[in-house]
Amino acid sequence: MDISVCIITKNEADKLEKCLLSLKKYNLEIVVVDTGSTDNTPAIIDKYADVSGSYKWCDDFSKARNYSISLAGNDWILVLDSDEWIENMNINEVAAIISNQSVNCTGKIELINYDNELTRGVERITRLFNRKQCRYEGRIHEQVVSIDKNIVTAVDVPITVGHSGYMGSADNKKKKAERNIRLLELELKENGPDAYIYYQLGKSYYMQGDYKNASGNFEEGLSFDLDPKLEYVQDMVETYGYSLLNEKRIPEMMFLQNIYSEFAVSADYVFLMGLAYMNNGLFDKAIEEFNKAKSYKLCKIDGCNSYKADYNIGVIYECLGNTAKAVLSYKKCQSYEPALKGLKRLGCN
């Protein structure tokens, strides 16, 4: 297939090998650019890559990505990070999609984020595009943008990618967040206030457990006139809600009901609304929202549309003294450890 997979990497030999091995069963050109590794990364690149290159790191992810794309032998580009791997790809369907689309089209893969507890967050993200039409912009948390600023149609493509970037030691996560914060603040200094950069700053602070700075940056980002249909805006609103929850700013979580009609398009938002009602003592409304979350087929945070919703319903019934309904809700959660503890508290083995 006429697709080039473009990867930039630095000092991630073990992760990179897993990534490249996952690509070998597909007929794809593999392009890997090293940005200054001192480990065994160059040897891994030599072993698996069809095209290799080196790029002097200059604190700008887009420049490195665009350089890797310039080395590709094909115009259709699939971008991966070295801590990602292909879990599943319907190569024939992907070929049909790009052959039936103009260059004015991008493909959104399914990205599954794993953390140390093996819980999963799922999102759709643009990673497949034609380099004649699109390129990367942004020093960090770079985005695919149209070169001529025309509107580009995004379509879902049958590619599922695993991502281990949220795994690792607390120290490694802290270092990664600190690097991101430094680059994001530099981006703000150079280019002025930007809602997306405030969003990414908030996410970086949230990753560190600094919920005060996280919520502060989310508030800056949400002060802009934003399109609620944008995925990052939806995620910013939801993560802001969790920041308030972690800060114990419980009454302020009720802002969620003021924008419910615009944002209640996902199980994740409805589940969060349930948490807001639950923590503010509005138990009937909370149960209603948790049950509604279960009606959604998909969710980004694993369990929001299933066992986590049932667990919270169980907690409410247990607090209200309705043991029978609490037990019933906990049992729906199957092997979810907090629910098993709830059953044990209620005398069910």
Side-chain angles (χ1 to χ4, degrees):
M1 188 194 301
D2 295 333
I3 293 178
S4 297
V5 181
C6 294
I7 301 163
I8 61 172
T9 189
K10 180 179 179 180
N11 289 338
E12 292 197 280
D14 293 339
K15 293 179 180 179
L16 178 63
E17 186 159 30
K18 180 178 180 179
C19 171
L20 299 181
L21 279 171
S22 76
L23 294 169
K24 275 301 179 180
K25 63 181 179 180
Y26 304 104
N27 184 26
L28 304 168
E29 181 187 54
I30 300 174
V31 180
V32 186
V33 169
D34 183 48
T35 62
S37 295
T38 56
D39 65 356
N40 196 41
T41 293
I44 299 298
I45 295 173
D46 289 341
K47 182 177 179 181
Y48 294 100
D50 299 304
V51 180
S52 61
S54 60
Y55 186 83
K56 186 176 181 180
W57 182 244
C58 60
D59 282 346
D60 193 313
F61 279 88
S62 284
K63 289 182 179 179
R65 290 222 188 271
N66 290 330
Y67 174 72
S68 72
I69 291 165
S70 74
L71 300 180
N74 301 301
D75 287 329
W76 279 98
I77 306 296
L78 174 64
V79 170
L80 293 180
D81 286 335
S82 51
D83 58 0
E84 297 172 347
W85 62 92
I86 299 290
E87 291 200 345
N88 186 54
M89 179 192 300
N90 189 321
I91 204 76
N92 293 327
E93 284 191 27
V94 173
I97 289 171
I98 65 174
S99 65
N100 291 328
Q101 299 287 343
S102 69
V103 295
N104 197 29
C105 166
T106 61
K108 300 175 73 174
I109 67 166
E110 181 181 60
L111 184 68
I112 302 177
N113 298 305
Y114 294 91
D115 67 19
N116 287 336
E117 286 73 42
L118 299 182
T119 56
R120 308 192 308 169
V122 182
E123 59 184 322
R124 283 278 177 182
I125 184 170
T126 298
R127 289 291 189 82
L128 180 67
F129 57 90
N130 192 299
R131 66 179 176 184
K132 290 181 178 178
Q133 181 65 38
C134 297
R135 61 182 280 113
Y136 274 98
E137 285 186 4
R139 181 183 291 276
I140 185 170
H141 296 299
E142 59 282 5
Q143 299 179 82
V144 177
V145 299
S146 171
I147 294 172
D148 57 13
K149 306 305 180 183
N150 287 334
I151 295 175
V152 178
T153 302
V155 298
D156 291 346
V157 291
I159 302 174
T160 301
V161 173
H163 174 224
S164 63
Y166 295 106
M167 301 178 71
S169 67
D171 185 57
N172 285 338
K173 288 182 180 180
K174 182 180 179 181
K175 288 179 179 178
K176 183 176 181 179
E178 288 175 346
R179 178 206 66 188
N180 291 352
I181 289 168
R182 178 177 62 81
L183 295 180
L184 287 163
E185 288 179 341
L186 185 58
E187 183 91 355
L188 281 178
K189 183 178 180 181
E190 290 179 346
N191 299 312
D194 181 275
Y196 183 75
I197 300 301
Y198 283 124
Y199 157 68
Q200 291 293 357
L201 271 169
K203 292 284 283 189
S204 295
Y205 280 115
Y206 190 89
M207 185 185 297
Q208 286 187 315
D210 184 347
Y211 303 115
K212 182 177 180 180
N213 275 316
S215 60
N217 278 284
F218 290 141
E219 286 160 6
E220 290 285 353
L222 292 169
S223 69
F224 288 73
D225 184 18
L226 302 173
D227 182 353
K229 294 179 182 178
L230 294 175
E231 289 184 11
Y232 91 86
V233 176
Q234 294 170 12
D235 188 59
M236 178 157 52
V237 168
E238 292 165 10
T239 315
Y240 176 47
Y242 281 107
S243 296
L244 295 176
L245 180 62
N246 282 296
E247 280 190 273
K248 310 300 182 186
R249 293 165 60 185
I250 303 303
E252 294 177 60
M253 292 183 70
M254 295 306 293
F255 87 95
L256 293 165
Q257 67 182 351
N258 299 330
I259 53 175
Y260 190 89
S261 61
E262 295 174 292
F263 286 91
V265 295
S266 68
D268 300 83
Y269 187 91
V270 174
F271 178 86
L272 179 60
M273 188 76 254
L275 290 178
Y277 283 138
M278 179 181 177
N279 283 275
N280 279 281
L282 302 170
F283 298 132
D284 289 342
K285 288 187 175 182
I287 292 172
E288 182 180 345
E289 293 303 309
F290 289 134
N291 278 321
K292 183 178 178 180
K294 290 162 57 181
S295 70
Y296 288 78
K297 183 178 179 180
L298 301 174
C299 60
K300 291 177 290 186
I301 300 176
D302 195 39
C304 283
N305 64 346
S306 55
Y307 63 91
K308 287 181 180 176
D310 280 319
Y311 170 71
N312 281 293
I313 292 172
V315 169
I316 291 172
Y317 281 132
E318 184 179 357
C319 291
L320 294 175
N322 193 330
T323 301
K325 287 189 175 181
V327 168
L328 183 63
S329 295
Y330 286 147
K331 284 185 175 179
K332 290 179 181 178
C333 304
Q334 298 183 344
S335 60
Y336 186 46
E337 186 63 30
L340 296 177
K341 291 181 180 178
L343 290 171
K344 187 175 182 179
R345 283 195 307 272
L346 297 174
C348 300
N349 297 320

